[in-house]
Amino acid sequence: DCAYVIYTSGTSGQPKGVQVTYGNLEWFLAGVLDRLEVPDAVRWSNHPNLAFDLSILDLFGAIASGSTLVPLTSPLDRAFPGRVISEFQLGVWHSVPSVVESLQRVRAGEAGMLKSLERVILCGEPCRRSWVEYLLEHCSPSVRVYNAYGPTETTVFCVMEEMRRGYAFNAAEFDAPLGSPFKGVSLLSAEHNAEFELVIASPGVGIGYVNVPEGENSGYSVDSAGSRLYRTGDLAQEIAGKLYYRGRIDNQVKLRGYRFELSEIEGLLASVGVLGAYAVVVRNSVILFLDADCEWSDERILVNLSEHLPSYAIPKRIIRVDGFPHNVNDKIDRRELTRQAEKHYEVREYP
């Protein structure tokens, strides 16, 4: 009953081959197309590479909705897709959220390149509120932007938040909310203080990893009613009736006895208009990588962060770079940033 095997990106460990059934795929397409309400005769982008599970929605979603698929094949178009969106008058865009930052850097929205977009689905990384706000301002007046969530093991994604112009964001949150689950999906929890680990019970949960005995499929389980469950390792928190992503259990940073998320630094800078800022921890210090074109001085960056964050979260060094490394799935490659910080820069340790 296995329809395909697709490998995880390995961002949280070794890549694993996820087995997805025909039933999983059929259920996912029905759920996502019901939410999207794709306009007739629209052109649909294919930005994710074919080894990334986001491409499943593009390939099968375009076919099932009667849309025209437009693959982005050149490295330049993939890095700066505004030209393709404008030239082909794309109506549906689907990618990891950080691609929006590339559009912002070249002022694609201000140049009118995004006006044809009616549906934008962002998935695969935390989705900053500022990215969504940029799209709502510069895409079609009737655009719907979706923040989608779900591990590969649950068939692409199974939770979506729809945002249109006039959407009421929580000003205290740097990211968009995760949204509500598809029909038939239950979001369970394993408690971790105020935050909790998401456990997904869904018809989209696959049958395990390829070439791994069923009893050794870490994360997969079956409850007493026979429903398949997947324990995600992702933390979430409910605020004012909305779920917000709080990072991975195994990715939280601990410095001087305090735990925090590096995304707090990045989100704070994004909220004041600083594009291209990514933080890593090396030798017990926070290192901030910053786009070389950023007009803010290092001093201004540090002063701004110091006004909002505790001292242990303030970067000990700022490194300006001409571009950020991406993995094969177009996500920011934080492992490579960490290797760069370790290899090329001496970092003072805390006493």
Side-chain angles (χ1 to χ4, degrees):
D1 193 31
C2 181
Y4 62 86
V5 174
I6 195 158
Y7 279 76
T8 61
S9 64
T11 52
S12 58
Q14 285 294 110
K16 303 181 186 73
V18 176
Q19 300 179 87
V20 177
T21 69
Y22 290 100
N24 295 149
L25 179 58
E26 183 180 8
W27 172 85
F28 165 70
L29 288 173
V32 69
L33 292 177
D34 179 64
R35 291 284 190 95
L36 291 177
E37 298 180 323
V38 179
D40 294 334
V42 75
R43 292 176 180 174
W44 187 315
S45 72
N46 173 220
H47 183 270
N49 74 72
L50 296 182
F52 187 13
D53 68 330
L54 295 193
S55 66
I56 296 297
L57 172 57
D58 298 338
L59 298 177
F60 293 100
I63 293 172
S65 64
S67 303
T68 300
L69 191 66
V70 180
L72 281 76
T73 56
S74 80
L76 181 61
D77 286 341
R78 290 175 55 76
F80 301 101
R83 183 195 67 81
V84 175
I85 295 172
S86 178
E87 180 178 336
F88 288 91
Q89 289 293 286
L90 298 183
V92 178
W93 177 263
H94 179 214
S95 71
V96 295
S98 56
V99 170
V100 180
E101 194 166 77
S102 299
L103 296 170
Q104 288 178 295
R105 284 183 193 147
V106 298
R107 301 180 66 81
E110 290 81 350
M113 293 181 174
L114 311 180
K115 289 186 178 298
S116 64
L117 292 177
E118 295 284 352
R119 303 288 185 273
V120 178
I121 310 107
L122 303 174
C123 184
E125 297 173 308
C127 182
R128 294 179 187 166
R129 186 185 78 222
S130 60
W131 293 339
V132 177
E133 290 171 333
Y134 184 81
L135 293 171
L136 292 176
E137 180 180 356
H138 294 292
C139 294
S140 163
S142 58
V143 68
R144 304 181 194 177
V145 179
Y146 298 87
N147 182 26
Y149 165 81
T152 303
E153 290 83 351
T154 64
T155 309
V156 192
F157 54 79
C158 58
V159 176
M160 293 174 74
E161 178 76 354
E162 179 184 297
M163 294 159 283
R164 308 189 193 194
R165 290 190 176 180
Y167 180 87
F169 289 97
N170 184 337
E173 294 293 327
F174 298 126
D175 290 343
L178 294 182
S180 58
F182 291 178
K183 293 177 182 177
V185 176
S186 296
L187 299 182
L188 312 175
S189 65
E191 291 298 331
H192 286 266
N193 300 322
E195 300 169 351
F196 57 87
E197 180 186 359
L198 285 169
V199 180
I200 296 175
S202 164
V205 174
I207 54 177
Y209 301 117
V210 68
N211 297 327
V212 176
E214 187 164 350
E216 299 176 18
N217 273 287
S218 175
Y220 288 97
S221 62
V222 179
D223 66 14
S224 58
S227 298
R228 294 192 65 83
L229 311 178
Y230 183 71
R231 187 163 183 165
T232 67
D234 292 330
L235 291 172
Q237 186 176 17
E238 184 174 349
I239 299 176
K242 299 280 189 180
L243 276 181
Y244 290 88
Y245 180 71
R246 292 294 186 247
R248 289 195 54 80
I249 292 172
D250 49 8
N251 279 359
Q252 287 194 321
V253 174
K254 187 174 183 179
L255 290 176
R256 293 198 245 174
Y258 297 96
R259 291 190 181 276
F260 71 101
E261 284 286 338
L262 294 171
S263 59
E264 294 181 40
I265 301 171
E266 299 162 0
L268 181 60
L269 291 174
S271 71
V272 293
V274 176
L275 304 180
Y278 295 95
V280 298
V281 169
V282 173
R283 304 181 198 175
N284 297 320
S285 295
V286 176
I287 308 300
L288 181 67
F289 284 85
L290 197 64
D291 192 300
D293 293 332
C294 178
E295 296 179 356
W296 284 42
S297 66
D298 291 3
E299 181 181 8
R300 185 181 177 189
I301 293 280
L302 295 175
V303 168
N304 182 273
L305 292 175
S306 298
E307 292 174 350
H308 300 91
L309 296 175
S311 59
Y312 58 81
I314 304 302
K316 290 299 176 184
R317 179 161 300 201
I318 295 177
I319 301 170
R320 292 180 180 257
V321 293
D322 290 326
F324 295 97
H326 292 76
N327 64 20
V328 295
N329 290 343
D330 299 306
K331 301 178 184 180
I332 296 296
D333 192 338
R334 294 178 184 275
R335 289 181 180 177
E336 178 58 27
L337 286 177
T338 301
R339 283 192 288 267
Q340 289 180 16
E342 281 277 15
K343 183 177 180 180
H344 298 291
Y345 298 91
E346 179 181 355
V347 182
R348 183 186 65 188
E349 294 192 31
Y350 289 117

